[in-house]
Amino acid sequence: MQNLAFRYTLWINRRYQRIGHLFQGRYKALLVDGDSYLLELVRYIHLNPVRSELVSRPEDYEWSGHRAYIGDDNIPWLTCDSVLAQFGSTIHVARGRYVSFVMDGVSGTHRPEFHQGDDDSRILGEDLFVSRVMTQTEEPAPIRISLDELLISVAQAFGIEDTDLSGPSRKRSFAEARGVAAWLASELGLHPLADLARRLNRDPSALSLLTKKTRERMKNDPEFELKVTRVKLNLSSNNSITHA
C-alpha cells in the first residue's frame, strides 16, 4: 500500500503540477474483535463524508464503498458479503437492514479509537481480546474443523441431511452443497480435496470441477454468495480471530 500511495501521489503531482502529500495519513490496517466492532467500524467509515459535510447521504459520496454495499455500484475488488451476511440471509433483506444500521449512526461523533491510540492501536476490541492478541505469535493458529462439522454446516444451510452429500443422488441441491463444501475446504485450508472426495464417495476431479463452478457462481449470484459466506462465518467464528 505504501508503494501504491507513493506512485499514485507522484502521478497526480505531475499531472496537475502540484507538490506535497496527497493523502493525509498512512494506510491503516486493524485487527478487529468480533462482528459488532467490525460493523461499527464499517459504519463509521461510510459516514465520514456525511460527518464532514461533503455530502448529505453516504451513497452520494463517489469514492466510498457504501454504494457497493447497497447494490448501487460494482467494485470487483471489494468484498461486501462478510458484512452483509450479518444482517440477513437474503441480499435484499441484508441490504435493507444494513442501510438502517448505517443511518442510525448519522448523529454519531468522532471516534478516536478508529484513528490513533497507544501501542495497541492496530487492534480494536475489548481489553481481553487485545491482551490475547498481543500474547500470540505472528503465525495464526489454523482453523480446526472436522469433515463431519463441515458437511453438517453445509447440509443445514441447504436444508438437507449431511448423509445426502455422500449419497448417489445427483440432485441439483446436493451437487451445489458438495461444491460449497469443497470450496470451503479449499478456501479455509481445512482438508485436502482428496480426503473430502473419499468422504463424499466422489472422484477428486469431479469435486475440483464443482469447486470451480461454486467460485464462478459466487461472482455472479449475490444471493448464493451470501449463503456461502454465512456458512463460512459460522464455521470460522469459534475457531479464529476476525480480521478486517
Side-chain angles (χ1 to χ4, degrees):
M1 286 300 297
Q2 183 179 13
N3 183 53
L4 175 62
F6 174 73
R7 290 176 177 272
Y8 186 66
T9 300
L10 284 180
W11 182 80
I12 288 291
N13 286 349
R14 288 171 181 170
R15 178 168 182 174
Y16 295 101
Q17 297 182 344
R18 63 182 300 279
I19 59 174
H21 296 287
L22 179 62
F23 300 103
Q24 181 179 10
R26 296 176 57 190
Y27 164 78
K28 187 171 185 178
L30 294 175
L31 182 61
V32 182
D33 177 13
D35 300 338
S36 60
Y37 276 87
L38 173 62
L39 297 182
E40 285 290 341
L41 181 58
V42 170
R43 174 165 66 180
Y44 184 80
I45 291 173
H46 290 170
L47 284 177
N48 264 335
V50 178
R51 197 174 297 109
S52 301
E53 299 183 350
L54 296 175
V55 293
S56 58
R57 303 181 307 167
E59 58 266 34
D60 293 335
Y61 190 65
E62 183 178 357
W63 296 277
S64 170
H66 178 74
R67 292 174 55 82
Y69 279 86
I70 63 177
D72 286 353
D73 199 358
N74 178 34
I75 305 177
W77 50 264
L78 178 62
T79 301
C80 305
D81 47 294
S82 295
V83 170
L84 291 178
Q86 298 178 47
F87 289 98
S89 57
T90 67
I91 195 69
H92 177 73
V93 171
R95 282 174 174 162
R97 291 175 178 172
Y98 162 78
V99 169
S100 297
F101 171 77
V102 170
M103 298 311 295
D104 284 344
V106 169
S107 60
T109 58
H110 178 77
R111 299 286 295 274
E113 67 270 31
F114 294 156
H115 295 268
Q116 58 186 2
D118 52 23
D119 293 338
D120 303 336
S121 60
R122 293 173 299 171
I123 307 171
L124 180 63
E126 301 290 347
D127 292 342
L128 181 60
F129 173 79
V130 174
S131 176
R132 178 159 57 90
V133 171
M134 294 299 291
T135 58
Q136 289 181 343
T137 61
E138 293 186 2
E139 186 68 25
I143 299 175
R144 301 187 183 281
I145 299 172
S146 69
L147 280 175
D148 286 339
E149 290 174 315
L150 170 63
L151 298 181
I152 289 173
S153 294
V154 171
Q156 288 176 343
F158 280 82
I160 61 178
E161 299 294 329
D162 60 292
T163 53
D164 293 329
L165 297 175
S166 57
S169 175
R170 295 186 178 182
K171 189 176 179 180
R172 181 177 178 179
S173 60
F174 296 174
E176 288 179 350
R178 293 180 190 118
V180 170
W183 181 85
L184 287 169
S186 173
E187 176 72 10
L188 297 177
L190 301 178
H191 300 280
L193 196 61
D195 291 352
L196 182 61
R198 283 192 293 270
R199 178 68 172 77
L200 297 180
N201 299 315
R202 292 295 185 282
D203 187 89
S205 61
L207 279 189
S208 179
L209 180 60
L210 285 176
T211 302
K212 182 178 179 180
K213 288 182 177 179
T214 298
R215 186 179 297 110
E216 290 301 316
R217 184 177 174 185
M218 289 176 66
K219 294 179 181 178
N220 302 308
D221 187 340
E223 292 283 357
F224 182 71
E225 181 185 31
L226 190 64
K227 185 176 187 177
V228 176
T229 299
R230 290 177 68 86
V231 180
K232 179 181 176 182
L233 290 175
N234 288 336
L235 283 170
S236 60
S237 60
N238 295 324
N239 293 275
S240 65
I241 298 171
T242 301
H243 290 72

